[in-house]
Amino acid sequence: MPPHDDTLDGDAYVLPRHLALATLSGDPALDPLLRLGWPPTYDDRGNLYLSAPDGSIRLGYLSEGPDDGLWRITAYEDVFAAPTWGVCFNDRCPTEFVTAFTTALAAAYEQGPDAYLATPVHNSTDSDFFLAFVPLLQRGWQIDHPRWGVCAVESPDGLATVEYTTGALDPEAELTTQEARWHLWAGPSPQHPLWYATASTDTPMALVRAVTESLSDPAPLPRWRQETRTYAEGLAQLTPILPTGPSIPTPLDVRRIATRSPAALPATSVPRWSTTSTPALPSRNR
């Protein structure tokens, strides 16, 4: 499978971006690892898998998986042991957030195990969990304490939340349920989220922060309206993406053109209007 070079496109910008939902193609999120030369494999149901050559990192793109966990990414100190950490993005999570994670993961893998297996340490200057909150707080998100043992940061519109749970957690449950150290979601309630993502206890802080950086980015995301059933039922702001075309002449341009002497054309070269031609519409490249 060659890397996917096309940028995500659409006919409308969605703002805030946490209400954009996923795109139909996961190629942009696979590209950072494909560029490392990790070969894709498929099972008999059509699920796609990528694995580092040494088996230390594995990604599953489970389009035909048993639940809505579309993206499952795990890392291993010992390829024959349980994962050291695991991350899940569900099937409606905006693709850009997954791409932010895989891009950071590819960079960490090239740095070596000290980067992609870097266990967060409380009060450490470079791996404290609070570092993942910093991009959110810098962009107007607010700290919240929804319940005992949970520190959260909420978006200005109240429709996206990043939660960090303190205390002991079940390692197996962190990898298979939403009861993980990190829980990110958008929507009116966590019980019925528009999308969600989770990260287990030992997920390197640089990888989590890559997601919160993308999540809090103020730039809107492009989407095709017809490819999704809802954009949070009117909660998101949609702005049409206008097709690019020739620039409109300014009044000064018009005056300059009007003062020029038109070139004489042979009678056989007089241009004529056509009523049968129509302007080309922007095509969607998939």
Side-chain angles (χ1 to χ4, degrees):
M1 172 186 291
H4 180 80
D5 293 328
D6 295 336
T7 57
L8 297 177
D9 55 359
D11 57 8
Y13 284 118
V14 182
L15 189 71
R17 59 170 42 205
H18 54 256
L19 298 178
L21 306 184
T23 62
L24 287 184
S25 173
D27 290 351
L30 296 170
D31 281 352
L33 302 179
L34 289 172
R35 291 192 185 103
L36 295 180
W38 297 8
T41 59
Y42 299 85
D43 63 18
D44 56 2
R45 301 182 64 186
N47 296 310
L48 181 151
Y49 302 90
L50 296 178
S51 180
D54 59 3
S56 60
I57 301 174
R58 303 168 193 170
L59 176 149
Y61 181 69
L62 310 177
S63 57
E64 299 298 330
D67 53 30
D68 65 347
L70 179 61
W71 300 89
R72 292 194 180 273
I73 307 166
T74 49
Y76 303 79
E77 289 185 13
D78 183 340
V79 296
F80 297 105
T84 301
W85 57 259
V87 169
C88 174
F89 299 90
N90 87 323
D91 56 1
R92 286 165 46 106
C93 182
T95 310
E96 290 82 357
F97 304 164
V98 188
T99 304
F101 184 90
T102 57
T103 300
L105 179 59
Y109 182 76
E110 291 188 301
Q111 295 174 37
D114 289 344
Y116 64 81
L117 294 176
T119 302
V121 179
H122 185 61
N123 292 329
S124 170
T125 57
D126 60 354
S127 63
D128 191 295
F129 80 89
F130 195 77
L131 292 176
F133 285 155
V134 171
L136 305 166
L137 297 174
Q138 290 176 336
R139 291 164 175 165
W141 292 46
Q142 299 296 316
I143 292 181
D144 187 21
H145 294 282
R147 56 193 180 279
W148 186 88
V150 174
C151 181
V153 179
E154 187 176 85
S155 63
D157 64 358
L159 292 175
T161 302
V162 177
E163 292 186 346
Y164 178 86
T165 299
T166 62
L169 295 175
D170 181 346
E172 183 176 353
E174 285 198 79
L175 298 174
T176 57
T177 72
Q178 296 181 44
E179 301 299 321
R181 185 69 61 192
W182 292 95
H183 184 200
L184 298 72
W185 53 274
S189 76
Q191 289 74 32
H192 302 284
L194 296 172
W195 60 263
Y196 71 84
T198 62
S200 69
T201 296
D202 290 330
T203 305
M205 201 48 50
L207 305 186
V208 179
R209 177 163 175 153
V211 179
T212 60
E213 284 272 11
S214 181
L215 173 62
S216 59
D217 191 327
L221 296 177
R223 291 292 185 270
W224 294 98
R225 294 177 187 243
Q226 72 271 23
E227 289 183 355
T228 187
R229 290 174 295 177
T230 175
Y231 283 107
E233 297 297 337
L235 297 175
Q237 176 183 343
L238 270 65
T239 304
I241 298 177
L242 300 178
T244 58
S247 59
I248 299 175
T250 65
L252 180 58
D253 294 330
V254 173
R255 287 197 298 271
R256 286 174 175 170
I257 295 172
T259 59
R260 296 174 185 167
S261 299
L265 295 175
T268 57
S269 300
V270 175
R272 301 182 183 276
W273 292 107
S274 171
T275 59
T276 60
S277 61
T278 57
L281 296 176
S283 60
R284 178 184 170 196
N285 183 12
R286 283 297 180 197

